[in-house]
Each structure stands twice: as C-alpha cells, then as structure tokens.
Amino acid sequence: PRGAAPFGPGPFGPGPCGPCGPCGPGPMFVGGAYVTGGGAPPRPRPSQGKADRGTIYYGAIKSYSEERGWGHIDCPAAFQHFGKDVFLLRSALAGHSASPGTLVAFKVVQGQKGPQAADFSVLPEGSFGHAGAPGSLYSGEVKSFNEDKGWGFVTSDEIQTTFKKDIFLHRRELNGVIPSAGDAIEFSVEQGPSGQLEAKNVQLGGVGAGGGLDAGGDDGADFSPSHEQARKPRAARSSPY
C-alpha cells in the first residue's frame, strides 16, 4: 500500500529504512562515543584475510544484546583484516559482562556469520588507547632497543599482568633520543594497524620523547619484530620502516 515502509521490521525493531538503514540497530560505541545508525565513522578498505587463531586482537565492545545473547566488537585491526566487525556470542564471554565501551582482548575464529571472537578476556579500563580515547600512562623500563634498526621493546610488571607481553617501541616516538636497556620510561599503549601493541606518548627519564616522524623521515609503518632481532642487528638489512 501507498506510504508503507519498503522493508519489514528489522531485528532491533521497526524502521522505515530496514535493518541496514539510518534507523539502524540503535546506539553503539564507536570512536569513543555512542552513535546511532549512519553516524559511524568511515572505515579503511579491508583486506578480507582468513582468521589466524594465534593472533590476539584488542578492541572495545560495540554493541551487545543480553536478550539475544550476541553483539559485536569494534577493532580497527580486525576490521581491516576481515572486512567486518567481530561477532561476539554469549558463550565466549565466560561470565564477563558485555557493556558497550568495555576494553577486551580476543582471538578470532571463522564462525557461521564470519569472524567470531574466541579466547575472550576483559581488560582494565584505560589499559590501552582506543578510538581516540587516551590510555593510561605506564611506568616501566626499556627491555631492549636496536639503534641500527630503530626499534625495541618496553615492559613493566603492570604491562605483563595486563597484556602478558612486552610492548613494541619505535624510534618515531623518541624524538632522536636513543634509549638503552634498563632505562626508566613512561608510556601509554595503543594498537597499531596490524594489531600489534605499541608504546606511545613516551617519556624517558622524565623528558618527553614522543612525536611524529623521526630524523630519517620514517613514517612509522607497523612491523612485528622479535626480541632476538632487536638484540642482534644485521648490517645488511635496512630499516623495516
């Protein structure tokens, strides 16, 4: 009939634009704030790869319906890889609550609906920066740094408790300062484009070191080196950046 909506009621209630229109599924946590329908920011073009069960991703719960028992996780690195938000089932929560904005760590498996969260855990509020919201500042030490390659790792007891791994440090954050293993350092944590956790807002010995391109014009592309590489430079290899 004339004036009728072109689509029936969507899964989150009736809407003249259907489940994919601007009425959408209701408020979601994206970009550090709640948005509705078409208010989500644009995403980078995905690579649409396959799930690697060994990779740990970090993000925030975007939406979750207690009644239906499912929702989605906002993780730019996972979206870049799979082309969609990661599906979250109640069975993956292991008793945790699922409030929008909660920071989480998870692995990805391929489910019936595409990428699906597995090995899910809730992280402390502010443990890493996400969607423009700054993360907490950690106090720790430089674990290793390769001056020739321009990267290394930082750590602390709190970092190990929270993430169970060291954090990647790139020279672009040091403003020309060359750290040594054991140096005191303060930093926040963010997730790089590939999903690797990186040190940001770096301060060495109370002096701010972070910021932008390094002296060599390095653009800071994401890379995932090992500690062994950081300790043993090879002159024949150029910078990964």
Side-chain angles (χ1 to χ4, degrees), residues 77-224:
F79 187 94
Q80 176 69 15
H81 190 77
F82 300 108
K84 58 176 64 178
D85 292 323
V86 176
F87 192 59
L88 175 63
L89 284 172
R90 179 183 286 128
S91 58
L93 294 176
H96 294 292
S97 61
S99 302
T102 299
L103 298 180
V104 296
F106 58 97
K107 296 181 180 180
V108 175
V109 297
Q110 284 294 343
Q112 293 181 345
K113 295 182 179 295
Q116 181 175 308
D119 299 335
F120 175 97
S121 61
V122 173
L123 298 181
E125 182 178 359
S127 54
F128 64 93
H130 178 76
S136 300
L137 195 65
Y138 296 93
S139 295
E141 67 176 20
V142 177
K143 186 167 185 177
S144 62
F145 192 82
N146 186 310
E147 183 177 353
D148 291 341
K149 297 182 183 297
W151 45 258
F153 294 88
V154 297
T155 192
S156 73
D157 291 342
E158 187 177 5
I159 285 292
Q160 291 298 323
T161 298
T162 302
F163 301 108
K164 298 178 177 59
K165 63 170 66 179
D166 301 325
I167 306 300
F168 178 67
L169 173 65
H170 190 266
R171 64 185 174 195
R172 68 177 178 270
E173 301 299 325
L174 299 173
N175 199 24
V177 178
I178 305 299
S180 299
D183 283 354
I185 189 171
E186 291 186 345
F187 57 96
S188 61
V189 176
E190 294 180 11
Q191 186 175 210
S194 72
Q196 179 176 239
L197 295 178
E198 302 179 0
K200 300 290 184 179
N201 304 308
V202 172
Q203 296 185 29
L204 282 164
V207 179
L213 302 179
D214 65 8
D218 199 334
D219 64 0
D222 190 72
F223 185 67
S224 300

Side-chain angles (χ1 to χ4, degrees), residues 14-26:
C17 304
C20 299
C23 295

